[in-house]
Amino acid sequence: MELRIDGPQRSDAQRNRERILKVALVELSHSADAPLSAIAKKAGVGQGTFYRNFPNREALILEVYGHEVQQLTDAAAELLRTKAPDQALCEWMDSLARFAVAKVGLADAMRQTIGTSTASAQPGYAPVVAAIEALLVANHEAGTIRPDVTADDFILAIAGIWQIDVNGDWQSQAARLRDLVMDGLRTGAPGRD
Amino acid sequence: MELRIDGPQRSDAQRNRERILKVALVELSHSADAPLSAIAKKAGVGQGTFYRNFPNREALILEVYGHEVQQLTDAAAELLRTKAPDQALCEWMDSLARFAVAKVGLADAMRQTIGTSTASAQPGYAPVVAAIEALLVANHEAGTIRPDVTADDFILAIAGIWQIDVNGDWQSQAARLRDLVMDGLRTGAPGRD
DNA sequence: CGGACTAGCGGACTACTGTCCACTACTTGG
DNA sequence: CCAAGTAGTGGACAGTAGTCCGCTAGTCCG
């Protein structure tokens, strides 16, 4: 039986899903690589129920951090309202880096997610892409970055963010990556002609 | 018992290691996610022996492709001899992209390896870092790229290479990433003053 | 209310990774 | 050549991801 895509769920199913998410947040905060089976057990559901809701660890993590992701995408909109487009893009990359470092286990999930053709299918990932696209469009209109950059290009260019080690001076590493990418993006921008 | 680091191995140990590598090459070519236990079995060694030689899948893959990695690092030296430094760097990134796409499973291994603090400890990875450093040094001397870029920065900047999907038009994706990174690297180069 | 329909459940099961340790057999000194 | 010591073996074992399917119990229609 397939999970219903969006139609009304049975009441118990809805409860189960939420219970899993609640338990997962606690368990994953406690230890990023908590066994999924343990989460299922603590949530009081069987393996089958668990995996029908979250086909793999990445899917779970993306949903668990869904709220924080929301804040991140909101931040993009806010930055666009209050700052120059290129400044907004630059600062958003900083937020993203902080996010990547702060949410233990999320970076691994992102590494898995990016580049798979099913990436955009991941709920919780699509909003991020949308935020990136908004940032890029604003910059294109302002002529602050090269015209041919797509969201995919950008995601690939900042893939390194998900590789940064929390130990070590991640701040400067992230800043250097950000500067490099920004300079690359700015090269060939029509606004500079 | 620890595996001897470099001293003379017992003759049978040497044979085992080579047999594993030979079998692994065949099996991994056949299917990139062949079970390690199956490789051990086909090589006629126990799990213990297998894992003492290759602590995890990534280590095995890195060694299996060791020969090809050698060619890649050789190519860097050759390019440096025959081309302008920035041209060499650019073309080497192309080689790297082709490499990433061609060797199924290698990209996954690299994603795992990069960013771990033990990265340079991986035999078979260190030569790549050395090659990158050589390319960067040549460019620094020629003043063709910004002076502050380290090998780590570069590796982070091209992390996207290991995310590129073999399906889809990886060629143009790689080219766009390469151009973006190259432009980023060139920005602020002293030679441009 | 009650029965039929089926979405959804849950846990047994398979497959794989990686660890551990009692044993085997290569080596070396006498 | 033999014996002692130990490098190295190998497979049993433990733990986890993910699948499968018979059963349970919400839901809905009469």
Side-chain angles (χ1 to χ4, degrees):
Chain A
M1 181 76 256
E2 289 289 298
L3 179 64
R4 259 193 249 173
I5 311 299
D6 53 22
Q9 285 182 308
R10 244 168 60 175
S11 55
D12 56 338
Q14 179 67 21
R15 271 197 307 279
N16 275 333
R17 171 167 242 275
E18 272 159 20
R19 208 162 55 243
I20 292 172
L21 278 173
K22 211 170 72 190
V23 171
L25 178 57
V26 176
E27 292 298 304
L28 288 176
S29 305
H30 183 62
S31 141
D33 48 2
L36 302 186
S37 51
I39 294 176
K41 195 165 200 178
K42 281 213 178 183
V45 303
Q47 304 272 74
T49 303
F50 179 89
Y51 280 100
R52 207 170 329 97
N53 278 283
F54 310 99
N56 51 49
R57 174 175 290 271
E58 287 68 52
L60 176 66
I61 289 179
L62 241 41
E63 297 246 8
V64 164
Y65 288 128
H67 185 242
E68 281 85 350
V69 170
Q70 180 67 43
Q71 291 186 312
L72 190 69
T73 55
D74 287 351
E78 178 66 13
L79 283 168
L80 276 177
R81 269 204 318 107
T82 56
K83 311 258 182 165
D86 59 341
Q87 185 64 18
L89 183 58
C90 194
E91 291 191 20
W92 190 76
M93 282 177 63
D94 280 338
S95 312
L96 193 62
R98 254 177 280 121
F99 194 71
V101 174
K103 309 301 169 202
V104 192
L106 185 80
D108 296 290
M110 289 303 284
R111 278 210 297 276
Q112 300 287 346
T113 304
I114 300 173
T116 66
S117 35
T118 55
S120 15
Q122 290 281 5
Y125 179 64
V128 179
V129 178
I132 290 172
E133 258 156 12
L135 285 162
L136 292 182
V137 165
N139 275 279
H140 282 150
E141 282 171 1
T144 41
I145 64 173
R146 64 209 298 167
D148 59 335
V149 187
T150 67
D152 281 346
D153 292 340
F154 181 75
I155 290 169
L156 225 50
I158 60 166
I161 278 194
W162 312 110
Q163 305 278 8
I164 290 177
D165 194 9
V166 188
N167 315 111
D169 61 342
W170 62 268
Q171 309 223 31
S172 80
Q173 267 201 297
R176 293 151 81 82
L177 178 60
R178 176 204 62 198
D179 291 343
L180 198 113
V181 171
M182 277 307 294
D183 285 338
L185 288 172
R186 277 195 272 257
T187 308
R192 298 193 127 198
D193 289 345
Chain B
M1 181 76 256
E2 289 288 300
L3 179 64
R4 260 193 247 173
I5 309 300
D6 52 21
Q9 286 181 307
R10 242 168 60 176
S11 56
D12 56 338
Q14 180 65 22
R15 271 198 305 280
N16 273 335
R17 173 166 242 275
E18 272 159 19
R19 210 162 54 244
I20 293 172
L21 278 172
K22 212 171 73 187
V23 171
L25 178 58
V26 176
E27 292 298 304
L28 289 175
S29 305
H30 183 63
S31 140
D33 48 4
L36 301 186
S37 50
I39 294 176
K41 195 166 201 178
K42 281 213 178 184
V45 303
Q47 303 274 74
T49 303
F50 180 90
Y51 279 100
R52 205 167 336 94
N53 278 284
F54 310 100
N56 51 48
R57 175 176 291 271
E58 287 69 50
L60 175 66
I61 288 179
L62 240 42
E63 297 247 8
V64 164
Y65 288 127
H67 185 242
E68 281 85 348
V69 170
Q70 180 67 43
Q71 291 186 313
L72 191 68
T73 54
D74 287 351
E78 176 66 12
L79 283 168
L80 276 177
R81 270 204 317 106
T82 56
K83 311 259 181 166
D86 59 341
Q87 186 64 18
L89 183 59
C90 194
E91 291 191 20
W92 190 76
M93 283 178 63
D94 279 337
S95 310
L96 192 63
R98 254 176 280 122
F99 194 72
V101 174
K103 309 302 168 201
V104 192
L106 184 79
D108 297 290
M110 290 302 284
R111 279 208 298 274
Q112 302 286 347
T113 303
I114 299 173
T116 66
S117 36
T118 55
S120 17
Q122 290 280 2
Y125 179 65
V128 180
V129 177
I132 290 172
E133 259 156 12
L135 285 162
L136 292 182
V137 165
N139 275 279
H140 284 150
E141 282 172 1
T144 41
I145 63 173
R146 64 208 299 166
D148 59 334
V149 187
T150 68
D152 279 348
D153 292 341
F154 181 75
I155 289 169
L156 225 50
I158 60 166
I161 279 195
W162 313 110
Q163 304 278 8
I164 290 177
D165 195 8
V166 189
N167 314 111
D169 60 344
W170 63 268
Q171 309 225 29
S172 80
Q173 267 200 297
R176 292 150 82 83
L177 178 61
R178 176 203 62 198
D179 291 344
L180 199 115
V181 170
M182 278 307 295
D183 285 337
L185 289 172
R186 277 196 272 257
T187 308
R192 300 192 125 200
D193 288 345

